[in-house]
Amino acid sequence: MTTTPRRYHITTFGCQMNKADSERMAGILEDMGFQWSEDPNDASLILYNTCTIRDNAEQKVYSYLGRQAKRKHEQPDLTLIVAGCVAQQEGESLLRRVPELDLVMGPQHANRLKDLLETVFDGNQVVATEAINIVEDITKPRRDSTVTAWVNIIYGCNERCTYCVVPNVRGIEQSRTPEAIRAEMEELGKQGYKEITLLGQNIDAYGRDLPGVTETGRHLHTLTDLLHFVRDVPGIERIRFATSHPRYFTERLIRACHDLPKVCEHFHIPFQSGDNDILKAMARGYTHQKYRAIIDKIREYMPDAAISADAIVGFPGETEAQFENTLKLVEDIEFDLVNTAAYSPRPGTPAALWESQLSEEVKSDRLQRLNHLVGVKAGARSQRYFGRIEEVLVEDQNLKDPNQVMGRTQGNRLTFFNGDIGELKGQLVKVKITEIRPFSLTGVVI
Ligand code: SAH
Ligand code: SF4
Ligand code: F3S
């Protein structure tokens, strides 16, 4: 078949940053005349936007890539791209491993996809992994949802958590200006979007690389100031933000979330471990007492706030007693959700070189025990919704039941109820909660 236009496919791995980057890259490709193909095998341009946070995420990429590389031998006009965090981590060596690749591009280069592809179409194999100042968005993203949208506010991370590849692959912190962020949100509001999630790996660091300080020496641009600045964007009904770092979390921020009606009472604050020695070895910069104090403060202002977190089990040297301190923290705090992971040694990170690595058996045993407790606690926490009236922003049909729609409460609980998606998509609907599960709810419209 020689029919034009060319079709593209993107597979996205990893976190919300990658999803946001993929949406922008898709926008660029459509601007260049490419059309989306759901099936990668019908596409003549395939882009893998990759994640390397843990080894299993990285390995997944190679198996996907292997299949398409083979296809390239029968279809030489196939364009193969690896973008994202594996691309940044591996750089040139990816070309040696998979010579069929046309383009290897790090996350900072996402907005440059058009330029890079033009060089590829001129007959070059291209690696773009040098550190650059991220160019402002020039193209309209092709967003997956018409209801909720991501808006990056800060790229990169300047922390040095000893287990984490993110600073290596995402580079140093680069904040967007409040004006650029607000302009993007206003555009989204005009297009009918209702909910925005502001994104950053360490969102509390927002603005510290922007010029300007107040009379008291505080940075002029903080996340709290930004929330005030964007609180009234027309059409936007809900504002969320992620991910928070306990080290920088402030009471001022808590107050803003309490005072600004559109900012959801929903906090994602990873604790990683409940043990002070492990936290220290991770270089997290806080103790479990400080973490608990933050949660107490949030609940003082907003007793019902939804609180989620991330945790790692089996960090090098973690003893059974230290692991139990993590269980204890989860037991005490009663999170709405905890994303858990077994520690995975990552290239270029200090902890990967330590001799105190634990066995896979110990790690997976701890992971199971923690997951069990997280489920029990989330189930208990879900109970508070029973019989309550919640406002649900309808996002989509329930894939398992076409008579139902699905959306989220302002606390981010997935909620299903009977309704017609054609009529309800993008609406805020009052729903009485009639069924409780640990991580989702069912209700009826009132
Ligand atoms: N910026 C966020 C987290 C980004 S990575 C923060 O500071 O909390 C997302 C999650 O992946 C982390 O919270 C952590 O729980 C997990 N993670 C990161 N590196 C990991 C590793 N080497 N092994 C296992 N889990 C890891
Ligand atoms: Fe990784 Fe730590 Fe930065 Fe989070 S704050 S992205 S865990 S280095
Ligand atoms: Fe993965 Fe990169 Fe995100 S490593 S978790 S996609 S920042």
Side-chain angles (χ1 to χ4, degrees), residues 369-380:
R369 284 155 66 200
L370 179 60
N371 285 344
H372 176 74
L373 182 64
V374 166
V376 170
K377 288 286 154 184

Side-chain angles (χ1 to χ4, degrees), residues 10 20 88 92 108-109 140 143 218 231 251-252 268 277 291 294 316 326 364 368 392 407 420 423 435 446:
I10 299 181
Q88 186 66 39
E92 296 260 345
Q108 293 187 332
H109 294 262
K140 261 175 71 176
R143 303 193 189 254
R218 186 170 62 70
R231 68 185 189 183
E251 186 166 353
R252 228 180 127 240
H268 183 67
D277 290 332
Y291 186 86
I294 291 169
T326 294
S364 87
Q368 274 180 37
V392 176
D420 174 9
E423 208 177 291
E435 255 179 72
I446 57 155

Side-chain angles (χ1 to χ4, degrees), residues 13-15 17-18 50-53 85 165-166 169-170 201:
F13 304 89
C15 65
M17 314 296 142
N18 259 17
T50 60
C51 172
T52 183
I53 199 77
C85 297
V165 288
V166 171
V169 293
R170 290 260 160 188
Q201 277 296 0

Side-chain angles (χ1 to χ4, degrees), residues 53 157-161 163-167 201-202 245 272 284:
I53 199 77
C157 177
N158 288 5
E159 298 301 303
R160 281 278 172 257
C161 303
Y163 50 83
C164 183
V165 288
V166 171
Q201 277 296 0
N202 173 7
H245 195 307
Q272 312 300 5
R284 289 289 289 177

Side-chain angles (χ1 to χ4, degrees), residues 96-116:
R96 283 192 290 277
R97 184 164 180 165
V98 189
E100 293 86 351
L101 279 175
D102 295 289
L103 171 59
V104 175
M105 54 186 287
Q108 293 187 332
H109 294 262
N111 294 355
R112 295 186 57 226
L113 179 59
K114 182 164 188 246
D115 288 350
L116 296 171

Side-chain angles (χ1 to χ4, degrees), residues 340-354:
T340 59
Y343 169 74
S344 168
R346 304 309 294 131
T349 62
L353 302 174
W354 299 346

